[in-house]
Amino acid sequence: MTEANGAAESGPVEDDRMVVAENIHKSFGRLEVLRGIDLEVRRGEVMCVVGPSGSGKSTFLRCVNHLEKINAGRLWVNGHLMGYRQKGAKLYELRESEVAAQRRDIGMVFQRFNLFPHMSVLANVMEAPVQVKREPKPEARQQALELLERVGLAEKAGGYPDQLSGGQQQRVAIARALAMRPSLMLFDEPTSALDPELVGEVLDVMKDLARDGMTMLVVTHEMGFAREVGNSLVFMDEGVVVESGEPREVLSNPQHERTQAFLSKVL
């Protein structure tokens, strides 16, 4: 993507908005998945994104940290244009090393845990600070132990992923993301791969992060979490934002017919 699509030259976003998405479009071949997404996430806000499968929720989340390249629009994270630099009326893609540097400030937790099976739990959490940020191993180890304590898994530090339940693995994945000291956390349906009895332990960790003021963008089917913890809720369908607002209001009194139909099936 090199054209600025007629937009005026844009500099860094210098205010309390952590994520600013303007007219985001994303296609895979002929399939248009995102068709003009506009939204803002304030610092310290927990935004929950809900909607049916195939609505573009996860694709949008992956665009936020440039795991997917947008086809049109602008996306700023922490004040900086994500994945591109703008010169005049054109955008130029950053080198992979520059994108990687931007991603250091963004933690992401996927549906699947993606832990390194050959590494201990402690080593999984230490890996990125040591290899990416070049932190001394003693400091990284101490931080990793503190994070494992935070997610309730200090006693599992010497174990391996295949010795853990799904909920425990997901909590390790959260600790691993936090080890990079991100200012933004992205969660892509973090409980969808878990047995129902394990969902609560992961949501409890996320609630704790929210209480501590972590900025979070959460794609989820957990409407109770959205109602209890979210500051804002966005309902997406067919690649667009259909409705947004305060979670309790949207969930109890949806205004759009499509939102009403969706919530009638999941609540």
Side-chain angles (χ1 to χ4, degrees), residues 246-262:
E246 196 277 328
R248 292 175 185 268
E249 178 64 23
V250 174
L251 293 174
S252 62
N253 188 30
Q255 299 300 300
H256 195 281
E257 181 179 343
R258 182 66 187 93
T259 317
Q260 295 168 5
F262 174 76

Side-chain angles (χ1 to χ4, degrees), residues 110-244:
F110 299 87
Q111 297 177 42
R112 295 291 175 180
F113 325 120
N114 297 325
L115 300 176
F116 297 116
H118 63 289
M119 290 185 176
S120 70
V121 167
L122 181 63
N124 264 280
V125 180
M126 290 176 56
E127 180 71 3
V130 171
Q131 298 298 328
V132 178
K133 298 181 76 173
R134 304 299 181 188
E135 290 185 6
K137 285 188 177 181
E139 294 179 14
R141 184 178 188 277
Q142 181 60 37
Q143 180 192 222
L145 289 171
E146 292 172 359
L147 288 170
L148 289 172
E149 178 73 33
R150 180 173 184 176
V151 301
L153 291 173
E155 77 283 359
K156 301 292 186 181
Y160 285 80
D162 65 0
Q163 298 170 326
L164 306 180
S165 70
Q168 290 171 332
Q169 290 188 61
Q170 193 62 294
R171 285 188 279 155
V172 173
I174 293 173
R176 181 179 61 180
L178 292 173
M180 291 293 285
R181 300 184 180 91
S183 55
L184 170 67
M185 284 287 288
L186 308 177
F187 291 89
D188 186 9
E189 299 187 16
T191 60
S192 65
L194 302 179
D195 292 332
E197 66 268 22
L198 302 177
V199 168
E201 63 190 54
V202 174
L203 294 181
D204 285 343
V205 172
M206 295 170 65
K207 291 174 185 177
D208 182 60
L209 291 177
R211 282 191 292 268
D212 285 352
M214 173 64 74
T215 309
M216 297 161 63
L217 184 55
V218 184
V219 171
T220 184
H221 291 298
E222 301 293 338
M223 300 301 165
F225 175 86
R227 181 185 289 109
E228 179 184 350
V229 181
N231 302 111
S232 59
L233 185 142
V234 170
F235 172 67
M236 284 181 61
D237 189 34
E238 296 184 349
V240 299
V241 173
V242 176
E243 188 168 345
S244 62

Side-chain angles (χ1 to χ4, degrees), residues 71-109:
N71 298 118
R74 296 286 187 281
L75 215 164
W76 289 266
V77 175
N78 207 15
H80 299 285
L81 192 62
M82 192 67 197
Y84 300 92
R85 68 168 56 88
Q86 184 163 336
K87 186 175 182 181
K90 288 190 176 183
L91 292 179
Y92 297 90
E93 190 166 0
L94 298 178
R95 295 189 297 272
E96 183 56 38
S97 61
E98 295 172 304
V99 175
Q102 289 185 322
R103 288 196 190 113
R104 293 177 191 175
D105 206 34
I106 306 170
M108 187 161 185
V109 178

